[in-house]
């Protein structure tokens, strides 16, 4: 088994707009903290796996396919590539072609420079818990109770004395800062990783955002300043460190990958905003109106919407990690057992919110969700199938 790890800075050398809020129309060239790409590659039994996580809002599947096309010229064995984003709203515009070209050139250069280390055996342990000190439901009057923090460690020895890789998955929107900040930032996930890297300088850390469609820091942050980014980043880092101190044993790493797709059926129905609930904040009312504008623009353009979800399931012994493109609401985590499955979103592309069937709260997110109930049932069933292990019974795709 071979393992390669790489961290590289992705700060663009030219100004771009940010991405994540409709009001971010100004050019920015200041970095409050650096933006990074983090990459892991595993080679095992003739299968090659690449996972890249960028400090960005999200990247379309077309970007992932572009990197795949490059890998086809470099890798002889079958390979799988997953591209994820931390979903920071304060990074480079993910539709800026000049930046995407810069990012692509930088990424293939880093792929070419990967250095693999060979191990007779690798070992893994993981733990996932309910954790809502950083974020919880951002929708007034609606509680989730499905906020999860998962930490997966891969080590070179059974005792865990040489931990090589930490993969963290937490389903909270990294949106502490206000929309008008004139600098780039990796937000609280980047802050947490910096603290952990200082405490564990020989270990590699990656962070993915989970099913956070309805989860944010809205009711956890003191304000929307960078001081709050540091504060909540520290809270997250402390909890991750506490999890790492657990006495759970490491198990030999058995590695497997499966890809599957869910076809998308879209229905752009009118939403009656006269039925808005009382007590919504001014910001919620503003974003609902933004959502209505976006939905009106979608009408008649169904052919431009996503045709499918590419889902990658990665099995690490007793743990399965599901990589999914859309901004899933946390309710979809009811389809998995958190003691054996984690879900990372903003992966294998980037696509809009998916609310639960029958969701009754009129929110901004509702206007961006165009999927039919049938498609949502298919997504839930797919998550259940993967969680129960049935996907591993199929021939490798």
């Amino acid at each position: 088994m071979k393992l390669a790890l790489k961290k590289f800075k992705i700060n663009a050398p030219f100004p771009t707009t940010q991405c994540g809020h409709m009001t971010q129309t100004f050019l920015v060239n200041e970095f409050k903290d650096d933006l990074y790409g983090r990459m892991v590659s595993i080679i095992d039994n003739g299968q090659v796996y690449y996972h890249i996580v960028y400090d960005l809002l999200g990247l379309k599947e077309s970007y992932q396919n572009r990197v795949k096309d490059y890998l086809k010229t470099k890798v002889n064995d079958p390979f799988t590539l997953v591209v994820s984003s931390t979903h920071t709203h304060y990074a480079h515009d993910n539709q800026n072609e000049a930046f995407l070209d810069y990012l692509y050139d930088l990424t293939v250069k880093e792929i070419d420079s990967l250095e693999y280390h060979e191990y007779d055996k690798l070992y893994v342990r993981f733990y996932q818990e309910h954790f809502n000190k950083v974020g919880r439901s951002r929708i007034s009057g609606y509680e989730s109770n499905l906020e999860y923090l998962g930490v997966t460690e891969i080590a070179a020895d059974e005792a865990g004395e040489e931990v090589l890789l930490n993969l963290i998955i937490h389903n909270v929107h990294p949106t502490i800062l206000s929309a008008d900040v004139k600098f780039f930032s990796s937000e609280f996930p980047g802050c947490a990783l910096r603290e952990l890297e200082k405490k564990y300088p020989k270990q590699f850390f990656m962070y993915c955002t989970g099913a956070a469609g309805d989860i944010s820091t809205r009711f956890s942050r003191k304000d929307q300043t960078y001081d709050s980014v540091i504060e909540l980043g520290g809270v997250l880092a402390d909890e991750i460190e506490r999890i790492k101190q657990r006495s759970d044993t490491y198990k030999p790493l058995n590695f497997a990958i499966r890809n599957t797709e869910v076809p998308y059926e879209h229905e752009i129905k009118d939403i009656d905003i006269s039925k808005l609930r009382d007590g919504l904040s001014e910001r919620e009312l503003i974003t609902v109106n933004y959502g209505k504008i976006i939905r009106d623009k979608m009408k008649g353009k169904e052919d431009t919407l996503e045709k499918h979800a590419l889902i990658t399931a990665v099995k690490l012994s007793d743990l399965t990690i599901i990589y999914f493109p859309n901004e899933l609401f946390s309710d979809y985590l009811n389809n998995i057992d958190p003691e054996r499955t984690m879900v990372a979103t903003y992966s294998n592309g980037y696509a809009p919110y998916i609310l639960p069937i029958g969701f009754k709260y009129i929110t901004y997110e509702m206007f961006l969700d165009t999927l039919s109930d049938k498609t949502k049932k298919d997504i839930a069933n797919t998550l259940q199938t993967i969680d129960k292990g049935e996907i591993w019974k199929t021939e490798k795709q």
Side-chain angles (χ1 to χ4, degrees):
M1 187 174 286
K2 297 180 180 180
L3 177 70
L5 302 164
K6 200 67 179 288
K7 174 184 174 184
F8 52 100
K9 197 178 297 184
I10 63 170
N11 298 353
F14 49 84
T16 73
T17 54
Q18 297 164 317
C19 189
H21 300 287
M22 292 185 69
T23 56
Q24 291 172 320
T25 58
F26 41 84
L27 289 173
V28 179
N29 58 9
E30 179 185 347
F31 292 84
K32 194 72 170 181
D33 44 72
D34 292 321
L35 306 175
Y36 286 98
R38 293 175 171 85
M39 185 186 323
V40 57
S41 180
I42 298 174
I43 302 176
D44 181 44
N45 291 327
Q47 61 183 347
V48 185
Y49 175 65
Y50 298 90
H51 183 205
I52 308 171
V53 184
Y54 296 108
D55 288 331
L56 295 171
L57 182 82
L59 289 164
K60 291 289 187 179
E61 192 178 346
S62 57
Y63 176 85
Q64 179 164 312
N65 289 336
R66 188 179 179 188
V67 179
K68 274 185 182 178
D69 289 342
Y70 177 77
L71 287 171
K72 289 175 184 176
T73 70
K74 306 292 291 187
V75 182
N76 294 323
D77 292 318
F79 71 86
T80 298
L81 168 68
V82 175
V83 172
S84 302
S85 298
T86 60
H87 198 60
T88 173
H89 285 45
Y90 313 96
H92 299 291
D93 183 354
N94 61 358
Q95 299 186 61
N96 184 304
E97 292 298 333
F99 172 69
L100 293 177
D101 288 343
Y102 171 78
L103 185 67
Y104 170 81
D105 291 342
L106 183 61
T107 298
V108 298
K109 178 182 176 182
E110 298 297 337
I111 289 173
D112 288 344
S113 67
L114 283 174
E115 295 182 1
Y116 288 88
H117 297 273
E118 191 166 346
Y119 302 88
D120 291 334
K121 197 72 179 174
L122 290 174
Y123 298 85
V124 63
R125 74 171 184 174
F126 64 92
Y127 179 72
Q128 186 166 221
E129 67 176 11
H130 178 255
F131 177 69
N132 63 2
K133 293 182 180 179
V134 172
R136 53 189 186 273
S137 173
R138 63 183 180 181
I139 299 172
S140 296
Y142 172 71
E143 293 299 329
S144 166
N145 296 317
L146 290 166
E147 306 92 349
Y148 284 113
L149 170 62
V151 179
T152 303
E153 296 174 309
I154 293 179
D157 60 294
E158 191 171 7
E161 295 180 359
E162 186 183 354
V163 174
L164 304 170
L165 168 64
N166 300 267
L167 174 60
I168 299 149
I169 300 176
H170 189 30
N171 61 323
V172 174
H173 260 77
T175 50
I176 294 173
L177 295 167
S178 62
D180 60 353
V181 296
K182 300 296 193 298
F183 53 79
F184 294 114
S185 172
S186 56
E187 255 274 353
F188 74 80
C191 181
L193 293 190
R194 288 195 300 274
E195 286 198 28
L196 292 164
E197 287 166 347
K198 289 178 183 177
K199 293 177 181 177
Y200 303 93
K202 294 183 179 180
Q203 300 183 24
F204 192 84
F205 290 86
M206 299 177 73
Y207 180 98
C208 289
T209 299
D214 55 322
I215 309 295
S216 81
T217 62
R218 180 186 172 199
F219 295 112
S220 304
R221 63 196 182 216
K222 290 182 179 177
D223 52 38
Q224 291 187 272
T225 66
Y226 195 73
D227 286 342
S228 286
V229 171
I230 294 173
E231 179 182 356
L232 287 185
V235 170
L236 178 60
D238 288 346
E239 189 65 13
I240 293 167
E241 185 173 14
R242 186 191 67 78
I243 290 174
K244 285 175 63 60
Q245 299 304 316
R246 290 172 58 90
S247 59
D248 307 65
T249 58
Y250 291 80
K251 295 183 179 180
L253 174 60
N254 297 310
F255 185 70
I257 308 168
R258 293 287 189 276
N259 289 318
T260 188
E261 290 186 8
V262 175
Y264 277 178
E265 176 183 86
H266 295 277
E267 297 176 347
I268 303 182
K269 299 177 180 178
D270 290 330
I271 298 173
D272 185 0
I273 63 172
S274 68
K275 297 181 179 179
L276 283 173
R277 294 170 295 123
D278 294 333
L280 295 185
S281 69
E282 181 180 356
R283 176 168 176 76
E284 284 177 306
L285 293 172
I286 291 172
T287 56
V288 163
N289 285 314
Y290 276 140
K292 188 176 186 304
I293 293 170
I294 294 172
R295 193 174 187 88
D296 288 341
K297 290 180 179 179
M298 289 180 183
K299 293 177 181 178
K301 299 180 180 179
E302 287 83 352
D303 290 344
T304 66
L305 301 176
E306 288 74 15
K307 303 297 188 296
H308 71 276
L310 172 61
I311 303 170
T312 299
V314 177
K315 189 171 181 61
L316 305 172
S317 298
D318 296 335
L319 168 67
T320 297
I321 302 176
I322 300 173
Y323 293 98
F324 193 94
N326 291 73
E327 298 199 50
L328 285 173
F329 264 44
S330 61
D331 184 82
Y332 283 87
L333 297 179
N334 282 313
N335 296 289
I336 60 103
D337 182 345
E339 293 190 1
R340 66 189 181 205
T341 302
M342 298 178 187
V343 176
T345 55
Y346 315 104
S347 303
N348 286 340
Y350 171 49
Y353 297 98
I354 303 180
L355 282 66
I357 293 174
F359 194 75
K360 299 184 184 302
Y361 296 78
I362 298 177
T363 68
Y364 164 78
E365 296 86 358
M366 179 178 286
F367 291 90
L368 276 66
D369 178 4
T370 63
L371 295 184
S372 67
D373 286 353
K374 177 184 180 303
T375 297
K376 294 179 181 182
K377 289 177 182 176
D378 290 343
I379 290 170
N381 290 336
T382 300
L383 294 176
Q384 291 172 15
T385 297
I386 296 173
D387 171 71
K388 293 176 181 177
E390 295 174 19
I391 195 171
W392 309 113
K393 300 173 185 176
T394 62
E395 187 175 336
K396 182 182 177 184
Q397 302 174 42

